Amino acid sequence: MRAMDEAMRAETVKFAGHGGDEIEGYLGQPLGGGPYGAVVVIHHMPGYDRESKEHVRRLAAAGFLALCPNLHVREAPGASPDDAAAAARAAGGVPDDRLVGDVAGAIAHLTALPSASGKVGTIGYCSGGRQSFLAACSLPLDAAVDCYGAFVVEAPPPERGLRMTPLLERAGDLSCPLLGLFGADDQFPAPAETARLGAELTRLGKAHELHTYEGAGHAFFSVDRPAYRVEAAVDGWRRVLAFFGEHLG
Amino acid sequence: MCTYETSHVAVEGAGKGADGWFPVTEATVYFDHPVAAMAEHTLNLDFLNRARGASARVAVELDATSAYALAQAILERLEAAPPALTGELHRR
């Protein structure tokens, strides 16, 4: 339910993440009475940055409770987002089990808010796209959005030595409808990879909508980067809000 | 790309960060999205001292051509330096 005047409160909060660790996140709440659906925003690999917080505020303005956990806070408490992202990279990245635990903690925080409807979704960008899919295969959700997440279908080339594993074999555990937004010029994930994802979800009878934008590559939602593609981003936001409105409303 | 593919190099030296000079102990090198450079992908160099926390960092993001030229220039200067001054290097 959209707050008529779009009034919101947005702030940093502390909550229990994976393993009971106290972590921080950025929470946006519409100021009406609700009930509001809730969204966990999974930030991109460059970190818990200003633009990730803008996504939280935009969702709150549209009538959703939204919480973006700082996935790098353990490696770099109090550091700037870019330093924290570099520290997380140097330490090998965010482990999958820790990600799921942090998203579960964010969900618990959101659903305990007095204006929460109890419905919960996730949206993630870049590495967060894969993590949104991972969360949706690991936790009971009502909706999940994967924005250009790589290594959902294909494993990283073996010579790269990455520890990320593909998730396609987990697709049978997908707990909710999936919206996927991708760029036709992206190589990670490439259009052939996202087509395989769609085929597998169809085979499994899992509800999904996948859209691939021509003239866009990776990170087309990033308004502060050269990758920004206004047509894809505007249409992508329209689809995201409609999708969450349908499944979390 | 959006990967964790990263080269790690143990280094000895010093770098100047937001809080002044500090000893650098590690460099990470990766080709991925930049934070601030106006390019979709850059060669990124971080000089770190993890013992001093995540903010002990000197970061550079260079487009691929610049980074390649820089790497060549580094090797040229090292190879042109008198061996007496880079003895340890030449023994490796």
Side-chain angles (χ1 to χ4, degrees):
Chain A
M1 182 181 301
R2 185 184 175 106
M4 289 302 289
D5 58 3
E6 300 186 7
M8 76 177 81
R9 172 173 172 162
E11 62 197 322
T12 301
V13 297
K14 300 285 179 66
F15 59 96
H18 181 67
D21 299 347
E22 183 184 83
I23 64 170
E24 69 179 5
Y26 190 71
L27 172 67
Q29 303 181 68
L31 291 184
Y36 300 120
V39 179
V40 179
V41 177
I42 304 175
H43 63 68
H44 58 174
M45 199 164 148
Y48 174 71
D49 58 4
R50 183 187 60 202
E51 296 308 322
S52 300
K53 294 176 181 178
E54 285 282 3
H55 285 244
V56 167
R57 289 191 291 268
R58 183 157 182 178
L59 287 165
F64 299 98
L65 300 165
L67 176 57
C68 178
N70 181 353
L71 302 176
H72 299 156
V73 70
R74 293 176 185 77
E75 285 83 6
S80 64
D82 57 326
D83 286 346
R89 172 187 289 273
V94 175
D96 281 351
D97 58 343
R98 197 178 88 184
L99 177 281
V100 172
D102 285 353
V103 171
I107 290 171
H109 187 84
L110 285 164
T111 54
L113 295 170
S115 60
S117 71
K119 293 192 174 181
V120 183
T122 58
I123 184 169
Y125 305 85
C126 176
S127 53
R130 175 182 174 280
Q131 290 165 334
S132 183
F133 187 83
L134 172 67
C137 294
S138 308
L139 300 167
L141 301 179
D142 299 294
V145 183
D146 165 8
C147 300
Y148 34 80
F151 310 127
V152 171
V153 173
E154 303 291 347
E159 65 273 17
R160 292 191 171 179
L162 299 179
R163 68 184 184 189
M164 277 180 285
T165 54
L167 300 171
L168 197 59
E169 65 184 31
R170 301 277 310 274
D173 297 329
L174 186 67
S175 63
C176 62
L178 178 78
L179 172 64
L181 300 174
F182 309 106
D185 298 336
D186 201 346
Q187 294 304 307
F188 299 97
E193 182 175 353
T194 59
R196 273 191 65 202
L197 174 62
E200 180 66 2
L201 294 176
T202 298
R203 187 185 73 79
L204 293 167
K206 299 288 185 181
H208 63 283
E209 297 175 38
L210 306 185
H211 301 279
T212 299
Y213 292 101
E214 294 297 328
H218 198 77
F220 60 77
F221 276 113
S222 294
V223 296
D224 57 343
R225 293 164 186 273
Y228 181 59
R229 294 293 180 273
V230 60
E231 291 181 2
V234 168
D235 189 71
W237 267 111
R238 180 184 67 78
R239 290 186 188 277
V240 166
L241 296 177
F243 181 75
F244 282 147
E246 177 183 355
H247 297 290
L248 307 181
Chain B
M1 293 215 331
C2 184
T3 73
Y4 289 115
E5 184 179 7
T6 305
S7 296
H8 297 256
V9 184
V11 299
E12 291 181 29
K16 193 171 185 180
D19 296 323
W21 287 93
F22 66 95
V24 295
T25 58
E26 178 181 359
T28 56
V29 185
Y30 46 102
F31 191 71
D32 211 329
H33 305 298
V35 171
M38 285 294 112
E40 295 202 14
H41 299 94
T42 50
L43 190 287
N44 305 319
L45 273 172
D46 290 329
F47 297 97
L48 307 168
N49 184 329
R50 293 203 223 181
R52 294 202 176 198
S55 299
R57 171 176 177 246
V58 179
V60 180
E61 301 172 336
L62 300 171
D63 71 70
T65 301
S66 312
Y68 199 88
L70 175 67
Q72 286 191 309
I74 290 171
L75 293 175
E76 285 169 11
R77 287 306 95 212
L78 287 171
E79 287 165 5
L85 302 183
T86 59
E88 188 179 349
L89 169 72
H90 287 278
R91 283 197 297 273
R92 283 181 184 173

